[in-house]
Amino acid sequence: MLSRRALIYLGERLVLVAFTAVAVSSIVFLGVHQLPGNAFLSDRRIDPVALQAIMHHYHLDLSLFDQYKLFVSGILRGDLGESLVNRGIPITPLLLREATVSLEVGAAALIFTIGLGMVLGVIAAIKQNSWIDYLATATSVVGYSMPNFVIATVLVLIFAVYLYNWSGGAIYYEIGWNGTYGTLGQISIPAFALGFPYASIVARLTRASMLEVLRQDYIRTAKAKGLSDRIVIIRHALRNALIPVVTILGPLTIGIITGSVVIENVFGIPGLGKEFVQSILSRDYNIVIGVFTFYALAIGLANLLVDFLYTAIDPRIRY
Amino acid sequence: MTAPVLQVKDLKTQFFTDDGVVKAVDGVSFDLHPGETLGIVGESGCGKSVTALSILRLVQEPGRITNGQILFKGTDIVTMPDDDVRDIRGKDIAMIFQDPLSSLNPVLKVGYQIEEAMEAHTRISGKVALSRAIQLLKQVRIPAAESRVEDYPHQFSGGMRQRAMIAMGLANKPSILIADEPTTALDVTVQAQILELLRDLNQETKTAIILITHNMGVVAGLCKRVLVMYAGRIVEQGPVEQIFHDPQHPYTWSLLQSIPRLDADRKDRLLSIEGLPPDLIKPPSGCRFHPRCRFRIERCFHDDPSLMDVGPDQAAACWVTMRRALAQDGQARA
């Protein structure tokens, strides 16, 4: 299990993640307060007295410094304030629910990315220069040269439009879903669109790393012991080949988090990404700050998780 | 004399590269008797390692065994189905490699890598395998074997890694242990310890050892018999002492002359062998050593010598042989 030193390291990293989240939200806080106008200006019928009351309710009549103090003390308690548009709705529970939705799709995309990427990569490496290798390589090239919003749009066209027409409306992908938990069908197609470009990268990397590992002396040692090819590949090669793959897991997770903004909007998924765009458009700045804070936390924790994954896979790395 | 445990007959291993066919091993034959210690010596690229890898059919693409037989207890390894070769690897014939750091898997515990060698060939419980791994580590003189068995290779020193490799090789009590440059990557003092260990193990377990090295001194320390290889061929073979005292092939003689000696006269310069090892895609005509040979005669340029008896149990592939060359040298000076 985790040693004392590793626990101390974990603690330090968690403090760092929290600090980063506060820093990111502070920058966004200061940024949005520099923008002209506010969420209430579109309410044409609002009278000056009512506006004054609203401004007071949201502490917008205070000085920037006082507002910031209130904001930081709130964020340290986990309170991100109230929505400016849907008055009286607290932001933290709302975003937590939406984060759950995003997590479903994101986790599915990540599993799909790693699973498909690794399987394709390993097969391509073992069958190097065979038609399987060429097919996997060609698929990968297509995968990572196509941005995920293109893939998403094509998938919507196929599953929501063509499939609907072809089956006479019996089976099709319904754009937009309500509630927190999506069905397997609702999750899998966006997850595919989100993960496919990254799966291609993982496949390329796994292939290259696997080919490199298969040339190593210890693979020859394993064969000289009389182990079967299957055991040599799974036990001796794959684990070593995964080390560079774990390295890109950090940037990859970030890519999936940021990619979800586009994908959720294309598929109408009620997650953080959709909220992000909507809140900017409606100038709901409190929510904008909240979404940024969530993203900062998610990216920080994902990187932390990747760093600890290293120690699980490579005994030479210890914290 | 008992029947040989391994017979290599006219082995040819070639690499089919884009530049042409590299004849890495070109007609090598030798016998290995039970419990014997045999050295194979030669420069880098003379085919000694490829010979060793061929015995276990571990030569990698684009290399292939194109001719010959490798008879292990009478059955030919060259034509055996893959599964049968796998049964022999690590169980009857074990192999240890040059660089013990790169030859051990960095992400698996040392003990586990030893246990795995046993589990590949016998059904044993994890507990038995573990205690046997500890016992093997003790046998190769690793201190605190009980706790060391849980270590990873990077936690071992160079010498200990090579000991662990040897323990792995001995796990199934093989009848042959092939050691490919087992001391090259180690310090001189550690080299001596590893050689001593191999010598002791050879006497304790009666495992035959094939020691592959470029170092004549290492051969002298461990082996009874030696094969000298040059350009994919055996150029001289015989008992170690005889070869050391009375080498008949000019190549062997040059190799021995190029060993630095503490008792040599300071004024004597260390003799190096002129030129480079030959291109094995297009080996030289006649005797392959002739372009670098100081004693060559007309015949060496076009006539390829095969091994001829030059003494009791000693054979050399040379038209001249050192006996005659040195006699003529003496006459010329007189």
Side-chain angles (χ1 to χ4, degrees), chain A residues 148-171:
Chain A
N148 51 23
F149 61 84
V150 175
I151 300 173
T153 316
V154 170
L155 287 178
V156 166
L157 203 61
I158 294 173
F159 288 99
V161 181
Y162 292 160
L163 194 61
Y164 183 92
N165 293 341
W166 174 77
S167 68
I171 39 165

Side-chain angles (χ1 to χ4, degrees), chain A:
Chain A
M1 248 345 270
L2 289 177
S3 67
R4 210 179 104 85
R5 264 175 58 202
L7 280 174
I8 292 171
Y9 179 75
L10 180 68
E12 287 170 357
R13 286 288 302 267
L14 284 173
V15 170
L16 201 64
V17 169
F19 178 77
T20 312
V22 173
V24 166
S25 55
S26 299
I27 293 168
V28 177
F29 174 89
L30 295 172
V32 293
H33 278 82
Q34 299 309 311
L35 294 173
N38 62 44
F40 316 116
L41 287 180
S42 54
D43 294 353
R44 274 187 218 134
R45 280 172 295 162
I46 204 158
D47 72 72
V49 180
L51 181 66
Q52 196 57 44
I54 290 169
M55 295 287 270
H56 181 72
H57 177 75
Y58 287 107
H59 309 297
L60 290 170
D61 52 348
L62 297 176
S63 73
L64 189 61
F65 184 65
D66 287 335
Q67 284 189 50
Y68 182 64
K69 276 201 293 194
L70 281 171
F71 166 72
V72 173
S73 74
I75 212 174
L76 292 178
R77 279 180 281 115
D79 179 9
L80 289 162
E82 246 179 70
S83 165
L84 298 175
V85 175
N86 301 308
R87 271 155 235 169
I89 304 263
I91 293 173
T92 311
L94 174 78
L95 290 189
L96 275 176
R97 192 182 65 76
E98 288 173 345
T100 314
V101 173
S102 293
L103 191 67
E104 289 165 40
V105 179
L110 199 62
I111 291 168
F112 166 75
T113 300
I114 297 169
L116 181 80
M118 264 174 39
V119 169
L120 280 183
V122 169
I123 292 174
I126 298 170
K127 307 271 177 203
Q128 193 192 0
N129 298 332
S130 68
W131 66 269
I132 302 177
D133 182 20
Y134 295 138
L135 186 69
T137 306
T139 314
S140 301
V141 172
V142 172
Y144 69 68
S145 18
M146 210 149 56
N148 51 23
F149 61 84
V150 175
I151 300 173
T153 316
V154 170
L155 287 178
V156 166
L157 203 61
I158 294 173
F159 288 99
V161 181
Y162 292 160
L163 194 61
Y164 183 92
N165 293 341
W166 174 77
S167 68
I171 39 165
Y172 66 99
Y173 184 81
E174 197 177 352
I175 298 288
W177 39 296
N178 298 314
T180 310
Y181 302 101
T183 63
L184 200 63
Q186 279 174 322
I187 292 173
S188 60
I189 292 173
F192 178 86
L194 190 52
F196 192 62
Y198 300 106
S200 308
I201 294 172
V202 170
R204 299 288 294 155
L205 195 68
T206 308
R207 177 181 181 272
S209 147
M210 197 70 186
L211 286 175
E212 172 73 29
V213 167
L214 285 174
R215 274 198 301 269
Q216 296 295 314
D217 289 349
Y218 53 79
I219 296 300
R220 191 178 55 187
T221 310
K223 283 184 185 162
K225 276 189 232 179
L227 297 172
S228 68
D229 290 350
R230 197 169 49 89
I231 290 182
V232 169
I233 285 163
I234 294 171
R235 200 185 281 167
H236 287 266
L238 191 57
R239 197 156 155 206
N240 282 288
L242 281 186
I243 295 170
V245 178
V246 172
T247 312
I248 65 145
L249 225 50
L252 190 138
T253 312
I254 294 166
I256 284 180
I257 290 170
T258 52
S260 68
V261 174
V262 175
I263 297 299
E264 285 180 12
N265 279 288
V266 174
F267 286 95
I269 297 162
L272 268 188
K274 192 157 176 259
E275 186 68 72
F276 182 54
V277 174
Q278 270 177 358
S279 62
I280 290 175
L281 292 177
S282 63
R283 298 196 195 183
D284 198 338
Y285 295 146
N286 281 358
I287 289 186
V288 174
I289 298 167
V291 173
F292 266 109
T293 312
F294 265 74
Y295 279 154
L297 280 173
I299 289 170
L301 290 176
N303 275 326
L304 183 57
L305 198 67
V306 167
D307 285 351
F308 271 85
L309 252 182
Y310 267 131
T311 64
I313 209 163
D314 188 347
R316 287 165 295 184
I317 298 173
R318 283 281 169 268
Y319 296 118

Side-chain angles (χ1 to χ4, degrees), chain A residues 214-229 231 235-237 239-240 243 313-318, chain B residues 53 56 58 60 86 89-90 93 95 97 99 102-108 112-114 116-117 120-121 152 154 165 168:
Chain A
L214 285 174
R215 274 198 301 269
Q216 296 295 314
D217 289 349
Y218 53 79
I219 296 300
R220 191 178 55 187
T221 310
K223 283 184 185 162
K225 276 189 232 179
L227 297 172
S228 68
D229 290 350
I231 290 182
R235 200 185 281 167
H236 287 266
R239 197 156 155 206
N240 282 288
I243 295 170
I313 209 163
D314 188 347
R316 287 165 295 184
I317 298 173
R318 283 281 169 268
Chain B
L53 290 172
L56 280 181
L58 284 173
Q60 287 207 328
R86 207 175 293 136
R89 284 179 193 156
I93 307 177
M95 188 157 178
F97 299 97
D99 184 352
S102 64
S103 298
L104 289 168
N105 192 326
V107 302
L108 297 175
Y112 181 76
Q113 295 188 54
I114 298 174
E116 196 184 45
H121 300 287
Y152 289 95
H154 70 276
M165 277 292 286
M168 202 182 290

Side-chain angles (χ1 to χ4, degrees), chain B residues 247-250 295 308-310 316-327:
Chain B
Q248 287 307 308
H249 197 284
F295 307 105
M308 293 167 275
D309 286 343
V310 290
C318 182
W319 298 122
V320 184
T321 70
M322 291 311 294
R323 201 167 291 141
R324 254 179 277 169
L326 292 174

